[in-house]
Amino acid sequence: MEKELLQEDSQIIVIILIAIMVLLLMAVSLVLFFFFSRKKIIAAELEKANLELSHQKDLLHSTIETQEEERKRIAQDLHDAISAKLNVVSLSTNVLIDGKLNKEEQERTLQNILSVTTKTLESSRRLAHNLLPPILENFGLSAAIEELCDEFISSKKVNIEYAIEYNNLLPKRKELHIFRIIQELLNNSVRHGRAENVILKINDTNEHLEIEYVDNGKGFDITSVNKNKGIGLKNIESRVEILDGKLSYHSEVGNGATFNISAKKPQP
């Protein structure tokens, strides 16, 4: 009898030991599972952070590239529109100072100086307008875009149908980004797309400012553009990113281009 009790006790001890071993194995398995799961989660978070950092670097490079391109454009405008004309004024003035011209030649030279000076003033006003449109500062985004569209229409290079619904709820710095985006789109349509007609719609919703832009220009190949984006498209993408917005576009060679932009509005 005593022997049977000892056997039962031994069996119970074995069962308990087996149960403890199983529990230990389960505990170790759980620890390893959580360890490797956490490791995977950390790796995924690091990968996400690296992608975000890479995206921020790309955005920074794009923004710097855009700024440099704008500086070059301003420098070129200053040279072509102002510096060259002032050189003409300087030369004409020196000729007058020499006193070797007769009365009729003096009058023609003075008329030429007056004409060049007038054109230089117009060029400087246009350059200042391009840098910071005064109508945007004084009357808001809607008026600035209307004036921009009317300027393109009056140039006879393109016809623009526009409908603007905007309640002036964005900060001025964001309005300037939207203005520059529209300006870049119009410049691209005229210079590169050779478009004759443009449709521009701006709708103000509760949370977003929605922009739809369509032209009938020569279009472009999406695949090629995505691989090698020009400064104009990079400029637009950078500004949309700054606006915390979204950009989508579609185009086919010979069938124009469509751009849809959604800019997030600050909530009260």
Side-chain angles (χ1 to χ4, degrees), residues 5-65:
L5 288 172
L6 287 173
Q7 287 179 346
E8 288 179 2
D9 289 342
S10 298
Q11 289 177 352
I12 291 171
I13 292 170
V14 170
I15 292 171
I16 291 171
L17 289 173
I18 292 172
I20 291 171
M21 290 294 294
V22 171
L23 288 172
L24 285 172
L25 286 172
M26 290 178 63
V28 171
S29 298
L30 285 171
V31 170
L32 291 173
F33 173 77
F34 283 115
F35 173 77
F36 287 111
S37 295
R38 184 60 183 166
K39 192 175 180 180
K40 287 182 179 179
I41 292 171
I42 292 172
E45 290 294 329
L46 285 173
E47 185 179 359
K48 182 180 177 182
N50 288 332
L51 287 173
E52 290 178 354
L53 182 60
S54 176
H55 176 71
Q56 292 297 324
K57 286 182 179 178
D58 290 341
L59 176 61
L60 178 61
H61 291 160
S62 178
T63 302
I64 292 171
E65 188 177 354

Side-chain angles (χ1 to χ4, degrees), residues 165-169 202-210 265:
E165 181 187 326
Y166 175 62
N167 296 319
N168 299 311
L169 294 175
I202 299 178
N203 294 313
D204 199 347
T205 67
N206 291 332
E207 297 181 355
H208 297 86
L209 187 68
E210 305 289 346
K265 291 164 53 180

Side-chain angles (χ1 to χ4, degrees), residues 29-30 55-56 74 103 114 160 166 208 218 226 248 259:
S29 298
L30 285 171
H55 176 71
Q56 292 297 324
I74 292 167
K103 188 174 182 180
L114 180 61
I160 305 171
Y166 175 62
H208 297 86
K218 62 182 184 180
N226 286 337
S248 63
F259 289 80

Side-chain angles (χ1 to χ4, degrees), residues 77 81-82 85 118-128:
D77 286 343
I82 296 178
K85 290 183 174 64
T118 302
K119 290 178 180 178
T120 303
L121 287 171
E122 291 175 355
S123 297
S124 64
R125 279 196 295 267
R126 186 176 65 251
L127 184 58

Side-chain angles (χ1 to χ4, degrees), residues 226-238:
N226 286 337
K227 288 180 179 178
N228 186 21
K229 294 176 182 177
I231 188 67
L233 186 54
K234 286 182 179 179
N235 186 7
I236 292 170
E237 288 183 339
S238 295

Side-chain angles (χ1 to χ4, degrees), residues 66-83:
T66 298
Q67 289 174 344
E68 289 301 318
E69 189 67 23
E70 288 180 348
R71 288 191 183 100
K72 289 179 184 177
R73 191 181 302 168
I74 292 167
Q76 189 66 42
D77 286 343
L78 284 171
H79 179 270
D80 295 343
I82 296 178
S83 179

